[in-house]
Amino acid sequence: MVQFNILLIGFLLVFAFRSLFQLALNRLNVSHLRKHGKHVPRIFQGAVDEEKLAKISAYTADSSNFGIVVTMFDQAVLLAILLAGFLPWLSETVNHWHPGFIVQGLVFFAVLAVISNLLQIPFGLYSTFVIEERYGFNTRTLRLWFSDWIKGIAVSAVLSGVLLLLLLALLNYVRNTWWLWAWIAIGAFELILLWAYPVVIAPLFNKFEPIGNEELRDRIVSLMKRAGLQVRGVFQMDAGKRSKHTNAYFTGIGRTKRIVLFDTLLASHPEEEIMSVLAHEAGHWRKKHVLKQLIVMEILSLIGLYLVAKLLNWPFLYQTFGFTEPVAYVGLVLVGALISPLSYFLRPIGSAISRRFEREADDAAVTLMGTAKPMSDALIRLAAENLANLVPHPLYAWYYYSHPPPVERIARLQQMEGGGA
Ligand SMILES: [Zn+2]
């Protein structure tokens, strides 16, 4: 039986506070949009008309309301699983056949993964075929959706299966310092994944081919040379078979480092704007943002694993959630559940760092291009195409936004252009 002690009550209070906070922030953002979303911001005049603005507002409200419903549902399911004694029951049932610690752990996590994946189906379908469809973004067929779903599960089953196997083996055989070895193993695993993603995983979902426009390719290659970046190829991806959203990204490390452009971006933006988008991405590399993020993540993960290792030996934790004795793999789930509401409150720190990096990459792009005009044109077009919210509530943007809000970001670029940057 679950025990209503100080730990559980504290956890429930923090959990409930987070849910209320999320609901309130969402409410604030949507009502801010209703109040201030009726006039096209000066910067977007000419690019966005009244009709488009109404569409942006409706899309923002629909997708954020849907997002909050999904979040609340997930939290309710987690609470139900924790409080109804499902975990002790599952652990006992798995234990019944005495398959040994590692197999027990794998089966335990597999059951939780199956439940979570099944519960996600209706939300995934609704997001694609109702919301994205309503605003003209969706190009996916039902068949493609299900094949994506199955492939996604297969990939994550293999990847998380390997990682979990490693973790369970360490927990089983290296009792005291497992967390240090796990940190090294996870780090190595992430590096391999970074390298393998563009050549092994991404091709399972999309076709990649060198971009056909040779003139554009030459311009991109020479831009990357000027930025001091070694890139092993410029590819276009058939993103249009899923959605009309536009994007471009850098991926891979070492020999697999490459640029990927969505075919939807190539079709809708002039070359100059595409160049500026890539100059921005190159700016991230020049400023070593990827490396800095990686180092910060590794430090945080070392601290996190150390804390997990400490909490895993705490009998009170297991008693609270209805276990008669500590089971390390269950402990991983319990500690995860305890940490997640707390980590939510640290989110503004990550968002602020990310926005700072984005501004630095914009600056580097302007230096590289010698002008800010194509970049601000590109951002205006991107925001309009993707129906980005033009008037987020400042608190909401501060809390969640990884990029400066479009109006602020574009105004900054236009000022640089005006100032002769
Ligand atoms: Zn960026």
Side-chain angles (χ1 to χ4, degrees):
M1 277 294 282
V2 173
Q3 292 177 9
F4 275 87
N5 55 31
I6 181 88
L7 177 64
L8 187 61
I9 291 167
F11 167 71
L12 289 176
L13 284 176
V14 175
F15 199 93
F17 181 66
R18 176 187 58 171
S19 306
L20 291 175
F21 190 84
Q22 284 175 315
L23 283 168
L25 261 187
N26 188 63
R27 209 33 209 278
L28 196 65
N29 199 39
V30 172
S31 58
H32 187 77
L33 177 68
R34 264 194 214 110
K35 224 180 282 165
H36 301 276
K38 300 224 164 50
H39 306 285
V40 179
R42 192 187 50 79
I43 281 172
F44 278 90
Q45 277 164 17
V48 168
D49 56 19
E50 300 284 322
E51 194 189 337
K52 182 93 171 178
L53 191 69
K55 198 173 165 189
I56 290 178
S57 300
Y59 180 61
T60 306
D62 273 3
S63 47
S64 46
N65 287 334
F66 173 69
I68 203 80
V69 168
V70 177
T71 306
M72 292 303 131
F73 177 80
D74 287 347
Q75 291 175 5
V77 170
L78 178 65
L79 266 194
I81 282 182
L82 286 175
L83 298 182
F86 177 73
L87 294 181
W89 173 82
L90 179 60
S91 166
E92 250 167 60
T93 310
V94 173
N95 202 358
H96 198 69
W97 293 284
H98 301 290
F101 178 79
I102 293 176
V103 177
Q104 262 165 254
L106 285 175
V107 175
F108 182 81
F109 276 99
V111 171
L112 293 180
V114 168
I115 295 174
S116 140
N117 276 305
L118 288 176
L119 288 176
Q120 276 163 16
I121 295 180
F123 296 112
L125 287 172
Y126 189 86
S127 160
T128 304
F129 295 103
V130 178
I131 296 187
E132 293 292 294
E133 185 82 39
R134 187 181 294 156
Y135 296 95
F137 285 124
N138 181 46
T139 52
R140 256 200 284 203
T141 58
L142 199 59
R143 194 193 156 96
L144 180 60
W145 191 93
F146 270 103
S147 103
D148 281 350
W149 185 73
I150 288 177
K151 279 190 218 166
I153 289 176
V155 169
S156 85
V158 170
L159 295 181
S160 44
V162 170
L163 208 54
L164 200 58
L165 189 65
L166 254 155
L167 212 57
L168 291 169
L170 286 169
L171 269 170
N172 198 32
Y173 298 115
V174 197
R175 280 269 148 173
N176 289 321
T177 52
W178 70 267
W179 54 277
L180 191 61
W181 296 103
W183 180 67
I184 295 169
I186 293 170
F189 189 77
E190 282 169 348
L191 273 185
I192 296 171
L193 213 58
L194 271 179
W195 182 88
Y197 177 79
V199 281
V200 181
I201 298 172
L204 294 173
F205 296 89
N206 282 96
K207 263 203 209 88
F208 294 85
E209 45 193 35
I211 59 168
N213 183 341
E214 284 186 16
E215 193 197 315
L216 177 62
R217 195 202 57 211
D218 291 345
R219 286 185 71 186
I220 293 173
V221 170
S222 95
L223 177 79
M224 292 307 136
K225 271 213 186 102
R226 263 189 291 144
L229 270 179
Q230 276 241 331
V231 177
R232 303 282 174 149
V234 183
F235 293 83
Q236 74 178 59
M237 177 182 122
D238 56 346
K241 73 173 176 183
R242 292 201 177 80
S243 146
K244 289 185 183 153
H245 284 294
T246 50
N247 210 346
Y249 63 89
F250 274 44
T251 178
I253 47 171
R255 284 187 172 278
T256 68
K257 190 146 113 194
R258 59 189 60 193
I259 291 171
V260 174
L261 298 162
F262 281 23
D263 54 0
T264 46
L265 183 84
L266 282 166
S268 59
H269 287 249
E271 276 188 19
E272 210 53 29
E273 292 182 17
I274 293 173
M275 297 293 287
S276 74
V277 170
L278 295 176
H280 168 92
E281 293 302 319
H284 279 306
W285 280 92
R286 263 176 87 98
K287 298 275 177 183
K288 303 210 165 24
H289 291 156
V290 184
L291 185 68
K292 285 179 190 167
Q293 258 160 343
L294 210 66
I295 292 172
V296 171
M297 291 307 289
E298 289 311 309
I299 294 172
L300 288 179
S301 107
L302 184 63
I303 298 171
L305 278 165
Y306 176 76
L307 286 177
V308 170
K310 288 284 143 207
L311 288 170
L312 233 45
N313 296 322
W314 191 30
F316 189 56
L317 173 70
Y318 298 90
Q319 287 158 18
T320 302
F321 289 98
F323 291 85
T324 44
E325 58 184 62
V327 189
Y329 58 79
V330 177
L332 293 176
V333 176
L334 297 180
V335 172
L338 289 187
I339 288 178
S340 94
L342 290 174
S343 69
Y344 173 78
F345 294 108
L346 298 177
R347 185 151 173 176
I349 301 175
S351 302
I353 295 173
S354 171
R355 285 194 302 271
R356 189 201 161 107
F357 283 175
E358 293 305 330
R359 284 191 292 269
E360 285 180 5
D362 280 353
D363 291 350
V366 172
T367 310
L368 211 57
M369 298 284 290
T371 163
K373 178 87 169 64
M375 177 98 223
S376 67
D377 288 349
L379 289 175
I380 289 172
R381 201 185 304 270
L382 279 167
E385 274 170 0
N386 293 302
L387 300 179
N389 184 7
L390 303 181
V391 286
H393 190 281
L395 186 65
Y396 187 92
W398 175 77
Y399 209 92
Y400 291 116
Y401 272 33
S402 60
H403 291 63
V407 170
E408 187 188 312
R409 192 170 169 200
I410 293 159
R412 195 170 162 274
L413 286 165
Q414 291 185 347
Q415 235 170 13
M416 287 163 87
E417 185 72 7

